[in-house]
Amino acid sequence: MGLVGVAGALVEVAVDDARGAPGLSLVGLPDAVVRQSVDRVRAAVRRCGWGFPDGRVTISLSPAAMPKQGAGFDLALAVAALAATGRTALRDVDRQVFLGEVGLDGSLRAVRGVLPGVLAARAGGFGTVVVPAANADEAALVPGVAVLAADHLRDVVEHLRRSGRSLPAHRPGAPPASLPGPDLSDVVGQATGRRAVEVAAAGGHHLFLTGPPGAGKTMLAERLPGLLPPLHDDVATEVTAVASVAGTLPPGAALIRRPPFEAPHHSASAVSLVGGGSGQIRPGSLSRAHGGVLFLDEAPEFPRTVLDALRQPLERGAVTIHRAHGSATFPCRAQLVLAANPCPCASPAGDAACTCGSLERRRYQARLSGPLLDRVDLRVQLPPVTRAAWLHGLAVPESTAVVAERVRVARAAAGERMAGTGLTTTAQVPGRMLRERWPLPRGALALAELALERGALSVRGLDRVVRVSWTLADLAGRTVPGPEEVGEALGLRLAGAAA
């Protein structure tokens, strides 16, 4: 079983043991790990007391044009080698899919990418897969496939011999209870920031938070996933598959329903953020945040080239990594949340105690390119939390559950409006569709058109203001945005830009 991005691909392993001088040839574009699999499997087979083909051996991995990477071919290679010798009667080898790494002692070890591999097996018409016991719960997430779990190569061979020790179908236990995430009631004050997070959750909009240290930027970003609805089956499968390929899916985990949250450090490279690698192409933080939130704290500290690498994937909702040996595509429809201090000195008192010069401030803020910020719908400047706001926040906190219910109602209204379009959030609606299918009254757009005429908005920025206006209307229970919604959307976009 191979991987192409987060999609599995069936690989046929065939072993030919011909007469002639001893030798071994492995064909089918194997990487270094796959080439080493032959030595591991040979040692394991002989350790278990069986014979490995010792003639002129040819091992074929097909399709031959697809690069083969990783240790997941070990088990299939071991079964094919034993079947090729003819000394061990194995049955139904070609009707089952084998996936797993084999240790030198014959033990089976977990591998990455089992979920997409089992999905590919089901799509290929196979009803049975054999995997290491450590991967059994993950493989069992795919309905309609019998999962056979084994701890050792001997167990698999005895199962194929049908000698009364057939492997039973794996039955997963109850998934572990998920711990509650951080609650929005922990955020003191910051009414504008709380409103922006609610709007971002309701419409799937990107968000940029600026403010001094301690203003609550990180707290607000960490609580955004809790406002998002649980992931639907198709998105949950994609998110779980990405986690499986990345190696971040814990043993015994169920299908991931909670929107993920990724917060890479500002020293992250473009490869770690977007994806790539010199060997097997792996998903980056952007793809691991698919269906959830990618939070970049201290955004101006990221290299500008790294941030600009996000622009195209954020628009497409997918990222394709090209390498000399092939390419891989990963889903990455995530909400981007940027957080930044207004200046390098980052005084907790805000601009009143800033010691930076105007040129220094402009240079610091210019580290975020205009084209990237133009793709961010909501830009909010958070003031320092005052004592009065702190006391008010302690008196009337609003929990995540309360705000999440408003988000759910708003998303339901948006879903009813966009039924049949294939879109799931307001932020995904193309500008042309906005103007043709859901045009706003000219009177409602007066302020936005004035901002466009004065150069405060680009045409793309105007479309984004209209999208946010629809989200605000959904939150308010209105069928069409009016001047109030457009004005608030304009304020949520231009307030942070004026900081």
Side-chain angles (χ1 to χ4, degrees), residues 260-324:
F261 179 81
E262 287 287 326
H265 190 260
H266 59 73
S267 62
S269 65
V271 170
S272 67
L273 195 62
V274 178
S278 57
Q280 184 175 355
I281 302 177
R282 298 283 174 81
S285 297
L286 178 59
S287 294
R288 294 198 299 271
H290 176 60
V293 176
L294 175 65
F295 176 49
L296 302 183
D297 199 6
E298 306 294 345
E301 301 297 335
F302 283 80
R304 184 165 178 168
T305 55
V306 173
L307 293 177
D308 286 343
L310 298 173
R311 285 155 48 182
Q312 184 186 32
L314 287 174
E315 288 287 321
R316 293 181 54 210
V319 56
T320 301
I321 309 297
H322 294 275
R323 292 293 182 267

Side-chain angles (χ1 to χ4, degrees), residues 42-66:
R42 180 190 286 113
V45 168
R46 291 176 176 173
R47 186 74 178 268
C48 293
W50 303 306
F52 193 84
D54 52 7
R56 191 174 185 84
V57 181
T58 301
I59 302 175
S60 172
L61 307 176
S62 26
M66 186 186 80

Side-chain angles (χ1 to χ4, degrees), residues 5-83:
V6 293
L10 290 174
V11 174
E12 180 182 345
V13 181
V15 178
D16 177 61
D17 186 14
R19 295 181 179 180
L24 190 144
S25 178
L26 180 62
V27 297
L29 294 183
D31 69 350
V33 177
V34 179
R35 287 194 295 268
Q36 294 168 359
S37 296
V38 178
D39 296 326
R40 287 197 304 272
V41 169
R42 180 190 286 113
V45 168
R46 291 176 176 173
R47 186 74 178 268
C48 293
W50 303 306
F52 193 84
D54 52 7
R56 191 174 185 84
V57 181
T58 301
I59 302 175
S60 172
L61 307 176
S62 26
M66 186 186 80
K68 318 301 187 303
Q69 300 168 332
F73 301 97
D74 286 11
L75 182 56
L77 178 57
V79 172
L82 290 171

Side-chain angles (χ1 to χ4, degrees), residues 21 42 81 88 122 169 228 415:
R42 180 190 286 113
T88 305
R122 184 181 65 178
L228 302 176

